[in-house]
Amino acid sequence: MNREDPTVYLVIPCYNEEEVLPETVHRLTDKLEAMREAGLANGHSRMLLVDDGSKDKTWELITRFNQENPYVEGVKLAHNRGHQNALLCGLMTAMPRCDCAISLDADLQDDVDALDQFVQKYKEGCDVVYGVRNKRDTDTWFKRTTAEGFYKVMKLLGVDVVFNHADYRLMSRRALEGLSEYREVNLFLRGMVPLIGYRSDYVYYDRHERFAGESKYPLKKMIALALDGISSFSVKPLKLISNFGVIVSVLSVFGLLYALVSYFAGWAVSGWTAIVCSIWLLGGLQMLCLGVVGGYIGKIYNEVKARPRYRVEEYLQNEGGERQS
């Protein structure tokens, strides 16, 4: 593992990114050349574009860039597997060829000028460097509130996550080797990477607006990712259900005593509304609890099958050469 003159791989998952990809490749090419001149990356450094089963011309563009640009390599997944699996595929593909890999989004929201700081901290001895947002001014109020709430909930549940960190991070080769030992099918890399250990640090940056195209993480996917993170790294929801069951049982005893006292004291009156409301309330809570338990059982079901997390259809390497204009 070379820290003085490292081979740096930029790993970029892509899903229907034909609108933004030409600009992304242009900016990252300029950045890699600048990093080479500054001694932060050697001539074997590359950007690895991972096509996650795109339905547009993303792979056609990656193939063309690979032929024209010595910095571009490409991986095509056999079908869409989701952002986390595509990112893991890119990291595992880059692992034997790099000293460190930096994951970032294709939409240019992650500040590419911060890459210098990532590599500088790697050269100082860090194996993991997290990109942390300074602020969330570019987000809507709803997205900002729910995102910050998610991180706080994860902390309350005992999950070690970095606040306001997504998937903009540097990992050394030995950190990537550590990540390769985790075999979960339900991936939540933001929670997995801190478990690896090793020396880490942070780079703070301002997140930009998306350069072009539409977000590939709508509300539905963000909720699914949040639920994956909670259920993959904490069993506290199951413990909360148990505690809730005890509380309800105790309250039911008091309710029973009150009902008996009312009956013998002659206070009992027609209580149809109270009965119906209590039945619906407890029925709904029971269904909610069963849903939480079912979610965990579903994850167990997926894990024990141990199916491949992704399958590579094509890998375009690039051994270098002169950049074509």
Side-chain angles (χ1 to χ4, degrees):
M1 189 167 60
N2 181 11
R3 291 191 184 270
E4 293 302 319
D5 187 27
T7 299
V8 180
Y9 262 62
L10 308 179
V11 178
I12 306 106
C14 305
Y15 179 67
N16 294 341
E17 297 288 3
E18 66 174 346
E19 294 182 63
V20 71
L21 205 53
E23 182 65 19
T24 300
V25 170
H26 172 70
R27 292 194 191 182
L28 292 181
T29 298
D30 289 345
K31 190 60 184 177
L32 282 173
E33 290 184 339
M35 291 171 68
R36 286 183 62 182
E37 294 175 1
L40 296 173
N42 63 31
H44 300 291
S45 299
R46 300 286 182 268
M47 68 182 83
L48 180 61
L49 304 171
V50 184
D51 179 20
D52 185 23
S54 297
K55 299 176 182 179
D56 60 4
K57 296 181 179 179
T58 294
W59 182 245
E60 295 178 25
L61 288 172
I62 293 174
T63 302
R64 177 164 64 85
F65 292 141
N66 172 257
Q67 296 170 349
E68 299 174 351
N69 189 327
Y71 289 107
V72 176
E73 294 188 350
V75 172
K76 178 177 176 59
L77 298 188
H79 60 285
N80 180 257
R81 293 296 296 151
H83 177 270
Q84 296 290 279
N85 283 291
L87 177 53
L88 180 68
C89 173
L91 293 173
M92 294 301 99
T93 302
M95 180 175 66
R97 298 171 61 83
C98 72
D99 294 307
C100 61
I102 304 175
S103 57
L104 66 161
D105 292 337
D107 55 16
L108 295 175
Q109 288 188 283
D110 297 324
D111 184 9
V112 297
D113 290 330
L115 291 171
D116 294 354
Q117 300 177 57
F118 278 93
V119 179
Q120 188 60 50
K121 289 185 180 295
Y122 165 77
K123 295 179 73 171
E124 293 170 2
C126 293
D127 286 288
V128 181
V129 183
Y130 301 100
V132 179
R133 296 176 63 170
N134 282 317
K135 51 186 180 298
R136 307 189 71 100
D137 291 350
T138 57
D139 291 344
T140 63
W141 176 88
F142 177 78
K143 184 175 182 180
R144 180 171 60 253
T145 303
T146 53
E148 293 179 349
F150 164 72
Y151 288 110
K152 292 176 182 178
V153 169
M154 293 291 281
K155 284 291 187 181
L156 289 174
L157 293 176
V159 183
D160 185 15
V161 293
V162 178
F163 190 77
N164 272 343
H165 163 70
D167 287 303
Y168 191 20
R169 73 176 73 85
L170 176 147
M171 298 181 69
S172 69
R173 184 189 297 176
R174 72 169 180 170
L176 291 172
E177 290 170 348
L179 179 63
S180 69
E181 297 174 5
Y182 289 80
R183 299 298 182 182
E184 287 100 321
V185 173
N186 301 284
L187 292 178
F188 184 67
L189 295 176
R190 302 177 201 182
M192 293 171 63
V193 173
L195 296 177
I196 298 172
Y198 299 132
R199 180 180 170 185
S200 63
D201 206 339
Y202 308 96
V203 167
Y204 295 91
Y205 71 100
D206 292 324
R207 191 168 172 85
H208 305 304
E209 294 285 354
R210 183 180 178 87
F211 179 78
E214 298 179 354
S215 172
K216 305 307 184 294
Y217 252 92
L219 179 61
K220 181 180 178 180
K221 287 189 176 181
M222 288 192 294
I223 293 175
L225 180 64
L227 293 177
D228 274 342
I230 292 172
S231 57
S232 295
F233 288 88
S234 177
V235 296
K236 283 192 176 181
L238 295 176
K239 294 180 180 178
L240 290 174
I241 289 175
S242 300
N243 294 336
F244 178 73
V246 172
I247 294 172
V248 172
S249 298
V250 172
L251 292 177
S252 298
V253 171
F254 285 110
L256 177 60
L257 292 175
Y258 175 77
L260 290 174
V261 170
S262 298
Y263 176 77
F264 289 113
W267 303 337
V269 294
S270 178
W272 180 86
T273 302
I275 292 174
V276 170
C277 289
S278 61
I279 290 174
W280 278 96
L281 175 62
L282 291 176
L285 292 173
Q286 288 172 347
M287 293 298 292
L288 174 62
C289 295
L290 285 173
V292 174
V293 175
Y296 278 92
I297 294 174
K299 286 189 173 295
I300 295 171
Y301 174 68
N302 288 328
E303 294 291 344
V304 297
K305 288 186 295 185
R307 291 177 177 174
R309 291 173 290 191
Y310 55 82
R311 188 170 298 280
V312 175
E313 180 176 328
E314 191 173 353
Y315 176 28
L316 303 176
Q317 297 188 35
N318 202 325
E319 298 302 331
E322 293 298 323
R323 180 185 178 187
Q324 299 180 21
S325 59

